[in-house]
Amino acid sequence: GLRVVYITGKSVWLHSSGGPDVTFLDGTGGYDGIAMCNGASASDTVFDGFTITNGDGGNLRTGGISIINDCNATISNCIITNNIASEPNWSGGGFGCYTNSSPTIINCTIENNASTWFGGGVFIKADCNPTFTNCIIYGNSVDSDGGGVFITDNCAPTFTNCTITNNVGGDDETYDVG
């Protein structure tokens, strides 16, 4: 699938002037969400003030935002909503962090996303250490485990002043943090 925004090998500052209430990045029509990857998107890459919606996972396996391969970008003031990781074994309906990445997520809402495998809202895997500050992770769902957040593989995320609530996990249990 094609991506709405794909940042690789570059350091950029991408922001909206009107904020997430009026600036949408919409994956309707079979598009993946946002991808930031491959190390060069380091801490000086900033993605600020968007609503990311209707991403379908495609090749990224995550519906909303995928952070991949040594990426330490900052994502701030975003609403990540109504995205889906729909194929079998896809994870992270709203946000996925993969392979040695340590992004910073500030003042974001991750809501009403879904996944078929792990992490309806957030999926963190493979030595990733994201930092979430002042975030809301709400109303996400998954067919398997981690309705709100699923963490695996030597990861150590930090959640400061975050609300993780009303998420639904499958397998006869509800997990907000898995």
Side-chain angles (χ1 to χ4, degrees), residues 62 65 80 91-98 105 109-111 113-115 118-125 130 132 135-138 140-142 145-151 157 159 164 167 176-178:
T62 294
I65 294 179
I80 304 166
S91 300
F95 178 86
C97 186
Y98 304 88
I105 301 91
T109 299
I110 301 171
E111 65 180 2
N113 300 286
S115 173
F118 295 118
V122 175
F123 180 69
I124 303 168
K125 181 179 180 171
F132 293 83
C135 293
I136 298 170
I137 301 171
Y138 173 84
N140 301 286
S141 63
V142 66
D145 296 327
V149 178
F150 190 87
I151 304 162
F159 294 88
I164 303 172
N167 299 288
D176 277 325
V177 177

Side-chain angles (χ1 to χ4, degrees), residues 1-2 40 42 44 50 52 59 70 72 74 76 79 86 102 107 113 121 127 129-130 133 137 140 170 172:
L2 300 172
D44 55 346
F50 296 92
I52 297 94
N59 292 327
D70 301 307
N72 301 316
T74 298
S76 60
I79 300 169
S86 61
S102 296
N107 299 323
N113 300 286
D127 300 308
N129 302 303
T133 304
I137 301 171
N140 301 286
D172 299 323

Side-chain angles (χ1 to χ4, degrees), residues 148-161:
V149 178
F150 190 87
I151 304 162
T152 187
D153 296 344
N154 301 317
C155 298
T158 301
F159 294 88
T160 303
N161 198 33

